[in-house]
Amino acid sequence: MIVYLIKRLLSVAVTFFIVSLVIFLMMHAVPGGPFTEKDMPLSEAVKAALNARLGLDKPLWVQYVNYMAGVLQGNWGVPYQSPGETVISLLQQAWLPSLILGGSGVIIGAALGILIGMAAALKRNSWIDYLASTLSVLGLTIPVFVISMLLILIFAVWLNWLPASGWGKPERWILPIAAYAAIPLATYARYTRSAMLDTLNRPFVTALRAKGLSETRIIFQHVLRNSAIPMVTVFLPMFMGTATGSIFVEAMFRIPGLGSYFVSSITNRDYPLEMALVLMFTIGICFAYLISDLVYAWLNPRIRLGDDAQ
Amino acid sequence: MNLLLKLAGSVALAASLMVPALAQTVTVPGQSTTATYMDYMKTVYARAAGSDMIQIGLTAFDKDFNLTPIAAESWSQSADGLTWTFKIRPELNWSDGEPLTAEDFVFALQHAATTGYDFAWYWSFAGGIKNWDDVTAGKADVSTLGLKAVDDKTLEVTTTAPKPYLPSVVSLWYPVPKHQFDKYGEEWSTNVETIVSSGPWVVKEWVKSNNTVTLAKNPEYQGPWKPEIDEVVLDSSLGLPEVGVPAFLAGDVDMTSLNTGQVAMMRQRFADQIHTNPVFATQYISFDLEKAPFDNTDVRRAFYYAINRDELTSTVLKDIAIPAHSILPPGFPGYSENVAKQAVFDPEKAKELLAKAGYPNGEGFPSIEIWFREEGGYNGAILPPMAQYLQSQFKQILGVTMNIKVMPGKDWMEGMLARKNNIYLAPYEYDYLDPSNFYGLFYNGGRHTYHIAAYDELVKQADSASSWDERVNLYEQAEQVMIDQGLIVPLTHPVTMNVVSDKLGGDAMTPNKQGFYPNWSGYVYTHLTKN
């Protein structure tokens, strides 16, 4: 297990450096730079002075080495957009709304999706099953900004039950959380339904029934646990996905989260901010998969990690 | 007595509790999505929302475009017309209590001239400040600039040529707090804690992830145009009408702009709350005057008469623009009805002129390609459908085949300056409220490499004449030269449509003489009330 963990952590480190190198090169390969895309371009002398101050006049490999040396020491640089801040201080102000809304959306969506999926599997071919399938298809096919718009129109404009947008008071969180929850709900409803149907048809379930175990016990203690394995693997990556998925939800609901930085850092060629967002996301995704695998093994003892991995 | 004291205490307590509830906050779209500094004199193109509201310019314009003294209480021009003296109001202070001095204004421009200000060209092109170009190019010391703080409250500006419109140019001259700069450097304007204001508002909060800025009344402010509302929230995430309209419908915000698709629906629901705001901008066709077929004046003038501007704006553009009959938009200082009435739709005259140029019914006319640049905002909404309309109009009336090429902004500008094509669709938006701004585009090469001696002479005279009436007359003559020689074809002036809450009132919510509502922040938010 320890050997497995060490190997995985090494692979995280390798992935981190490969991603950092690829992103760094891609950022600089895109024509233009932080000071060339303005309506009223600066003079060459001023541009040169700015580039020198930010180290952009150095060879690319020197810039990369300097940047990564800073990152390894915990210094993610100063964003060009906000020179009075550091990248970390800027992101610190924005991560909480994204975490609260995205996290709640995924947890609530997953929980509801599991319940709907279970109901659909247990009542196969009934109206519940058809309704669950319809909900899943709608959740997966309607773009999140359309869902956001519909939620605002129905609950804020027509019914006037909730505020349409903004941040601060908990009642402002309800609609964006609902918008965030749509995809996890649809995904989990589908996953749960198919996984449970698959498990229900296995011989061990028939054996359990023959032994006289109650249906409730069979479902919750055996079927659900066996069906949970594929669902666990998608949970944390989906949770991380809210970071990038937040662009539209945060824009529609005017939430001061990370979403706008994903767009503005690219359009403004704000290299430090862009690198930090991508690298932090990379670390997050790597650890999400690592934790998923560990939970996977815990749920299914037949799966062994490490040298004797099957 | 005790009872009275208790009663008075209760009333005071109730009153203090009511204050927050009565605070009037107006939430509107912010101007910027890429904000770096909250200092207009550091960057115009990457400034944070509110930069031009927290500081006061020397002058400003009211809703009828009357020039109004703000930080300056008066000004005078020397006999040779080259030196201006501005007297700063003695009662003005920074929000931290420090006095606002002439030195703060001098420092603002000295710093801008030496650190790569992205609006530096304005102070040469519009301001004509002595030695500006040499200092910005690093050829002369900053102390040689035509700027001087005579004493704490007297500012002297020297220009290279007489600039009769300098008082309007200095409406964009905002002070920089030197005492704060000395402590914190450039970064003084990046954090709420270190930003100080000279104007009616102070920064209360700045959420950088979505560039939302909350401004509150500046208790230190003693100048003109004091605000009536308590707070303004400039929320840049409301900039998209797709986000702003649902928020407006739900009552979350007080104003939002509308896109073309939303105008009809919102007009139906909020007929009395739709405000049309002028944008002092003109979209026009320009030519390469030396390349066939546009080296012929009659060809250019045929294009001038071949456009039904009313149909273009009312049907194709669904009223997101108004017809342009001159380079100056209606209401802009110097706008002339005499000039505007000539740009009529006259298909017969257009055909005659084209035939006179040797292309009857367009026969023999070469295929042309009009170039325009990709843009967002109102230009992005207007240019593509307008180009298609022109294409069909020129085909139908003149028999001319015109193709369309959309280009990135940089390529378009380079192409136009290098004269790579012979016809362009060009937008231009004002930088300062004086006719010289628009006429300067065509002066002595200018934006389009036009060199028309008669035009250049008239503009030159108008630029330095001291009487306003004389200047307007000369500019009118200059535009007549433009019309006679078919230098440009004015097409449209964009307008923006906003829907505003019926709770808003005050002078900012009543239309001006032209029927437009003001949209410049300095005036609007200090002349606004909320019920």
Side-chain angles (χ1 to χ4, degrees):
Chain A
M1 180 72 169
I2 291 170
V3 175
Y4 173 80
L5 264 180
I6 292 169
K7 276 187 181 172
R8 286 294 298 267
L9 288 173
L10 279 175
S11 81
V12 169
V14 171
T15 309
F16 180 80
F17 280 104
I18 292 173
V19 169
S20 72
L21 189 62
V22 170
I23 295 298
F24 191 85
L25 292 174
M26 280 172 64
M27 271 185 343
H28 287 82
V30 176
F35 311 111
T36 53
E37 302 298 318
K38 306 291 181 197
D39 290 341
M40 195 56 59
L42 301 173
S43 72
E44 288 307 316
V46 170
K47 268 187 226 169
L50 283 169
N51 283 333
R53 187 160 69 85
L54 298 170
L56 296 172
D57 58 339
K58 295 190 169 66
L60 214 51
W61 70 270
V62 176
Q63 288 183 44
Y64 177 75
V65 169
N66 287 344
Y67 177 76
M68 290 309 288
V71 168
L72 293 177
Q73 293 169 52
N75 175 11
W76 294 76
V78 172
Y80 302 160
Q81 285 180 69
S82 302
E85 313 261 1
T86 62
V87 165
I88 296 297
S89 69
L90 206 62
L91 297 183
Q92 268 175 351
Q93 297 161 23
W95 70 273
L96 192 61
S98 295
L99 182 75
I100 290 175
L101 300 183
S104 311
V106 172
I107 290 167
I108 292 170
L112 287 175
I114 289 169
L115 287 176
I116 292 170
M118 281 174 67
L122 295 173
K123 303 283 179 188
R124 196 180 177 189
N125 293 331
S126 69
W127 67 269
I128 295 174
D129 189 17
Y130 297 138
L131 182 67
S133 299
T134 310
L135 275 177
S136 300
V137 172
L138 289 176
L140 289 171
T141 51
I142 300 177
V144 71
F145 64 88
V146 176
I147 291 176
S148 303
M149 183 80 83
L150 286 173
L151 287 171
I152 292 171
L153 282 177
I154 295 168
F155 295 102
V157 177
W158 294 342
L159 299 174
N160 207 14
W161 288 351
L162 293 164
S165 52
W167 174 248
K169 295 175 186 167
E171 65 260 30
R172 294 189 184 277
W173 302 358
I174 296 171
L175 292 182
I177 287 175
Y180 269 115
I183 291 176
L185 187 148
T187 309
Y188 269 91
R190 283 182 68 85
Y191 263 102
T192 308
R193 180 183 178 277
S194 61
M196 278 195 68
L197 284 176
D198 184 47
T199 313
L200 282 169
N201 290 330
R202 293 226 188 124
F204 84 90
V205 177
T206 313
L208 290 171
R209 281 187 179 131
K211 279 184 181 176
L213 255 69
S214 72
E215 196 64 15
T216 311
R217 206 168 153 191
I218 292 171
I219 298 297
F220 284 97
Q221 197 171 340
H222 297 278
V223 176
L224 197 57
R225 184 179 173 120
N226 278 281
S227 310
I229 293 168
M231 295 189 286
V232 167
T233 56
V234 294
F235 182 79
L236 282 174
M238 187 180 278
F239 185 76
M240 285 307 300
T242 58
T244 47
S246 62
I247 294 168
F248 296 114
V249 177
E250 288 182 8
M252 286 304 300
F253 291 98
R254 303 192 295 124
I255 293 159
L258 289 172
S260 61
Y261 284 141
F262 276 98
V263 179
S264 67
S265 66
I266 295 167
T267 52
N268 296 328
R269 308 290 167 83
D270 195 331
Y271 298 146
L273 191 58
E274 201 176 338
M275 282 294 285
L277 284 166
V278 173
L279 291 180
M280 287 176 184
F281 186 64
T282 304
I283 295 172
I285 281 284
C286 286
F287 278 98
Y289 276 114
L290 176 59
I291 295 167
S292 294
D293 288 349
L294 295 176
V295 176
Y296 196 89
W298 173 70
L299 280 172
N300 189 347
R302 285 175 303 166
I303 298 168
R304 293 283 175 271
L305 302 175
D307 293 338
D308 54 345
Q310 290 177 4
Chain B
M1 188 65 185
N2 271 351
L3 187 67
L4 276 177
L5 278 173
K6 277 181 186 170
L7 193 63
S10 306
V11 170
L13 181 66
S16 69
L17 290 173
M18 279 174 73
V19 168
L22 293 174
Q24 290 170 322
T25 301
V26 171
T27 304
V28 296
Q31 306 123 320
S32 171
T33 52
T34 56
T36 305
Y37 294 92
M38 196 165 292
D39 177 6
Y40 196 92
M41 305 309 288
K42 169 66 187 168
T43 171
V44 170
Y45 299 104
R47 71 184 190 271
S51 302
D52 46 355
M53 290 168 69
I54 61 167
Q55 310 299 358
I56 42 172
L58 286 169
T59 58
F61 291 92
D62 68 11
K63 69 177 182 183
D64 287 310
F65 319 114
N66 297 313
L67 192 64
T68 310
I70 300 290
E73 61 181 0
S74 64
W75 53 85
S76 58
Q77 191 179 15
S78 64
D80 64 2
L82 296 176
T83 303
W84 290 84
T85 305
F86 293 91
K87 287 280 180 191
I88 294 167
R89 291 177 196 276
E91 67 273 21
L92 294 177
N93 288 334
W94 290 99
S95 53
D96 59 0
E98 288 287 317
L100 175 70
T101 65
E103 184 59 37
D104 292 320
F105 281 92
V106 171
F107 176 71
L109 274 190
Q110 282 184 338
H111 187 63
T114 50
T115 52
Y117 185 39
D118 54 11
F119 207 54
W121 61 273
Y122 175 80
W123 295 101
S124 165
F125 174 72
I129 290 174
K130 189 183 152 198
N131 270 357
W132 182 269
D133 289 336
D134 283 346
V135 171
T136 53
K139 293 178 194 164
D141 189 77
V142 70
S143 60
T144 63
L145 273 179
L147 305 170
K148 189 175 161 190
V150 178
D151 58 41
D152 274 359
K153 297 291 179 181
T154 310
L155 179 63
E156 200 174 88
V157 182
T158 310
T159 56
T160 46
K163 288 275 178 186
Y165 49 89
L166 193 79
S168 66
V169 172
V170 299
S171 62
L172 296 184
W173 187 354
Y174 299 100
V176 170
K178 190 168 181 308
H179 64 284
Q180 202 72 349
F181 190 96
D182 291 341
K183 255 192 257 178
Y184 301 103
E186 302 276 15
E187 273 71 48
W188 76 270
S189 68
T190 59
N191 287 305
V192 176
E193 294 75 27
T194 55
I195 294 170
V196 292
S197 314
S198 58
W201 306 97
V202 288
V203 183
K204 185 178 169 189
E205 191 183 22
W206 180 2
V207 181
K208 293 192 176 178
S209 59
N210 61 1
N211 277 316
T212 296
V213 174
T214 304
L215 303 177
K217 269 182 184 173
N218 177 1
E220 281 283 329
Y221 181 67
Q222 298 300 323
W225 295 5
K226 292 190 184 74
E228 294 185 59
I229 48 173
D230 299 305
E231 286 184 356
V232 180
V233 179
L234 304 166
D235 185 339
S236 296
S237 62
L238 285 168
L240 282 176
E242 294 75 16
V243 176
V245 166
F248 178 85
L249 290 172
D252 277 11
V253 300
D254 296 289
M255 184 184 89
T256 178
S257 58
L258 302 175
N259 65 27
T260 321
Q262 293 165 336
V263 170
M265 183 267 284
M266 295 302 273
R267 263 195 180 140
Q268 206 173 16
R269 287 193 59 182
F270 302 97
D272 299 331
Q273 291 165 247
I274 305 288
H275 287 190
T276 302
N277 302 97
V279 179
F280 284 148
T282 305
Q283 281 124 357
Y284 61 92
I285 292 173
S286 73
F287 310 99
D288 186 328
L289 306 184
E290 289 166 20
K291 276 190 196 150
F294 299 112
D295 54 349
N296 187 319
T297 305
D298 290 327
V299 170
R300 301 194 298 261
R301 283 172 55 73
F303 277 61
Y304 179 83
Y305 289 112
I307 296 156
N308 187 340
R309 293 168 179 82
D310 294 324
E311 185 181 65
L312 167 65
T313 51
S314 63
T315 57
V316 180
L317 299 177
K318 298 187 179 74
D319 294 327
I320 57 171
I322 55 173
H325 297 104
S326 88
I327 187 69
L328 297 185
F332 195 87
Y335 177 78
S336 161
E337 287 291 344
N338 287 335
V339 164
K341 69 184 179 192
Q342 298 175 60
V344 294
F345 174 50
D346 190 340
E348 289 313 310
K349 192 166 182 177
K351 284 177 188 170
E352 274 172 34
L353 284 163
L354 200 65
K356 191 178 159 198
Y359 307 106
N361 298 317
E363 287 160 24
F365 199 88
S367 175
I368 54 172
E369 185 176 75
I370 196 162
W371 288 7
F372 75 88
R373 64 183 179 191
E374 282 174 327
E375 296 212 39
Y378 39 78
N379 281 324
I382 290 171
L383 293 176
M386 181 156 73
Q388 290 174 44
Y389 177 80
L390 295 175
Q391 187 180 41
S392 85
Q393 193 90 337
F394 292 152
K395 184 72 184 170
Q396 191 187 330
I397 293 162
L398 300 175
V400 167
T401 301
M402 182 176 80
N403 298 310
I404 298 167
K405 186 173 179 180
V406 192
M407 314 171 76
K410 201 171 169 230
D411 296 347
W412 179 86
M413 185 58 96
E414 278 173 10
M416 193 167 73
L417 295 176
R419 300 167 68 185
K420 290 181 180 169
N421 190 36
N422 55 6
I423 180 167
Y424 302 88
L425 201 49
Y428 183 77
E429 188 168 342
Y430 89 114
D431 291 304
Y432 60 98
L433 275 171
D434 188 85
S436 58
N437 190 191
F438 278 96
Y439 291 109
L441 290 179
F442 311 96
Y443 174 70
N444 195 24
R447 191 189 201 193
H448 298 289
T449 65
Y450 292 174
H451 290 276
I452 307 295
Y455 175 85
D456 286 351
E457 182 54 33
L458 287 161
V459 171
K460 192 179 171 187
Q461 284 178 35
D463 278 356
S464 25
S466 54
S467 144
W468 170 249
D469 290 342
E470 187 189 353
R471 293 184 66 221
V472 170
N473 182 267
L474 287 162
Y475 283 129
E476 199 174 308
Q477 289 180 49
E479 184 145 4
Q480 194 59 52
V481 174
M482 287 178 84
I483 295 167
D484 294 343
Q485 303 218 11
L487 299 189
I488 64 158
V489 178
L491 299 166
T492 50
H493 304 296
V495 293
T496 56
M497 297 265 199
N498 295 313
V499 58
V500 298
S501 163
D502 54 6
K503 291 178 182 165
L504 298 184
D507 198 39
M509 292 294 113
T510 53
N512 67 9
K513 289 173 191 165
Q514 280 81 36
F516 290 128
Y517 291 84
N519 61 353
W520 23 98
S521 45
Y523 181 82
V524 170
Y525 299 111
T526 50
H527 291 77
L528 195 61
T529 59
K530 187 174 181 183
N531 298 322

